[in-house]
Amino acid sequence: MGVPIRADLAAIPDYNIPATAPDAVLLNSNEGPLPPPPSVVAAIARAAVEGHRYPQWFSDTLVSRLAADLAVPEPWIGVGCGSVSLCRDLIQAACGPGDEVLCAWRSFDAYPAFARAAGVRVRTVPLDAEHRHDLEAMLDAVTPATRVVFVCNPNNPTGTVVRSRELHDFLERLPDRVLVVLDEAYREFVTDPDVPDGIALSRARRNVAVLRTFSKAYGLAGVRIGYCVAPPAVVSALHKVAVPFAVSRLAQAAALAALDHPAEVRARCAAVVRERDRLHTRLLEAGYPVPPSQANFLWLPVGERATEFADFCARHGVLVRAFPGDGIRVTVGLPEENDAFLCAAAQAFPPNGRRPAASVDIMVAPGRS
Ligand code: PMP
């Protein structure tokens, strides 16, 4: 007989590990398309020289820097090993046996997975017909056991947003014993002025935590660092449940250096946004009913054909993320990478029947290793 493992873990699906291939165009993980700027790489290398020393326990230097940049007091900021670890820590900090987590579906798949792993019940509320959070239905789904509600804004994987008025109403009507986690991993790609700034909302209330990350706009997905802005009591609780020293010295140095280049980050995000809007237009023209996205990815609701579609793209050198039975999420890459995807998508299943001439070549972006 093996060691006893919690029986309920069997019900948690294995994490869908993104595929990778040596020469493929990687549009399946919502990463930034460019490597970090050389000065950030240099800061990581400098930090490595002191690799024999543990990092700062609470990332104090980075917290001070973020506090100054965001105009938020230091006790309101907690740093984690990627914002995904903060999702888990928030559940652990707020929920105990018998409690519930509420989230939209589809949304970021880590929310239900972490809740279940913590032995916490999950309620999911379907997105509306426009692939947006249905905040009314989410309010109706709140029970006396609800402790945490995730609102992913923009939503992964659909790219849709909730706007100021509806979020304000939602927060007004929600019992303030419920912690609202506004996950703003893609905030830097938002161009709609009516999408609220979660940090301002958090500062004005006692029950809102905001998650941000260096993985997307700052191009540091492989370095693993993100942060939470929340009332000090929530941040203190995060500190209690966090894995000690989970945020490496290298990650802290990288984030600090990345914050020195706001103009570069803005320019990179603007380039992604331009490509996002071009891809969106082209996909609509091809007949795919793609909802408007405010993130660095687009959602193709191809339903039952999702897996087949992703396999087709993979055979043509482009990796996208399939959500079986539901749709495809494609990350916005460099222009030539997006062209490679558009070529594959045009030949895959043109929903409007306007299949392009058979001579269309599939282009695989050069130089991707
Ligand atoms: N939240 C959302 C909505 C995400 O899509 C992701 C990354 N896929 C994360 C959080 C986690 O990002 P990281 O851990 O890299 O900061």
Side-chain angles (χ1 to χ4, degrees):
M1 196 179 99
V3 290
I5 298 291
R6 264 171 54 196
D8 61 320
L9 290 188
I12 303 176
D14 286 331
Y15 190 76
N16 184 337
I17 297 169
T20 187
D23 291 317
V25 175
L26 301 177
L27 302 182
N28 57 347
S29 289
N30 293 349
E31 298 152 332
L34 294 172
S39 61
V40 176
V41 177
I44 295 172
R46 276 197 305 279
V49 172
E50 286 193 272
H52 59 306
R53 299 289 177 205
Y54 281 110
Q56 289 177 352
W57 187 285
F58 294 132
S59 306
D60 312 85
T61 312
L62 178 61
V63 167
S64 301
R65 176 63 193 270
L66 287 168
D69 284 11
L70 301 168
V72 167
E74 292 182 14
W76 283 68
I77 300 173
V79 174
C81 170
S83 58
V84 75
S85 72
L86 294 164
C87 292
R88 194 189 58 171
D89 292 349
L90 285 167
I91 291 173
Q92 222 194 325
C95 301
D99 290 341
E100 290 179 3
V101 162
L102 179 64
C103 63
W105 197 250
R106 276 195 184 268
S107 190
F108 187 29
D109 38 17
Y111 310 146
F114 283 150
R116 290 191 182 110
V120 171
R121 214 181 131 166
V122 185
R123 273 179 201 268
T124 56
V125 173
L127 298 173
D128 69 13
E130 293 169 348
H131 313 284
R132 304 172 67 242
H133 279 66
D134 185 341
L135 292 182
E136 279 298 322
M138 288 179 77
L139 274 176
D140 288 344
V142 171
T143 74
T146 308
R147 290 286 167 274
V148 175
V149 179
F150 283 96
V151 177
C152 188
N153 202 29
N155 187 45
N156 177 8
T158 59
T160 51
V161 286
V162 298
R163 299 205 165 74
S164 298
R165 174 90 253 147
E166 54 187 332
L167 188 57
H168 179 81
D169 288 352
F170 176 78
L171 293 173
E172 284 294 300
R173 291 160 62 199
L174 192 74
D176 62 9
R177 58 170 173 79
V178 178
L179 177 67
V180 180
V181 180
L182 273 181
D183 186 342
E184 296 189 338
Y186 303 96
R187 167 79 208 171
E188 292 86 350
F189 304 103
V190 170
T191 50
D192 179 342
D194 203 15
V195 175
D197 171 11
I199 293 181
L201 280 173
S202 172
R203 296 281 286 132
R205 297 178 175 269
R206 286 189 317 199
N207 64 332
V208 176
V210 179
L211 296 180
R212 301 231 175 136
T213 180
F214 287 91
S215 294
K216 313 296 178 182
Y218 291 86
L220 291 174
V223 177
R224 313 301 307 127
I225 187 157
Y227 61 95
C228 173
V229 176
V234 175
V235 172
S236 300
L238 278 177
H239 288 159
K240 294 212 168 158
V241 300
V243 173
F245 302 122
V247 186
S248 77
R249 182 177 274 282
L250 278 57
Q252 295 180 34
L256 275 164
L259 289 171
D260 283 337
H261 299 283
E264 165 89 20
V265 172
R266 273 197 302 277
R268 287 183 176 202
C269 291
V272 167
V273 165
R274 276 195 301 278
E275 277 296 298
R276 171 186 81 200
D277 295 346
R278 180 177 77 90
L279 260 180
H280 186 228
T281 306
R282 293 283 304 276
L283 288 167
L284 287 179
E285 283 166 7
Y288 291 101
V290 176
S293 168
Q294 288 285 297
N296 68 339
F297 53 84
L298 292 161
W299 174 245
L300 283 70
V302 293
E304 291 305 322
R305 305 169 96 179
T307 305
E308 202 188 336
F309 189 127
D311 290 347
F312 182 90
C313 291
R315 284 199 299 280
H316 291 84
V318 182
L319 301 186
V320 297
R321 171 84 189 265
F323 295 84
D326 230 357
I328 289 291
R329 187 194 69 198
V330 56
T331 306
V332 178
L334 298 173
E336 61 272 23
E337 296 176 320
N338 302 329
D339 284 341
F341 169 71
L342 282 171
C343 282
Q347 298 195 36
F349 314 107
N352 64 3
R354 281 193 270 127
R355 181 177 282 276
S359 63
V360 169
D361 285 330
I362 302 294
M363 300 187 302
V364 175
R368 196 69 208 230
S369 61

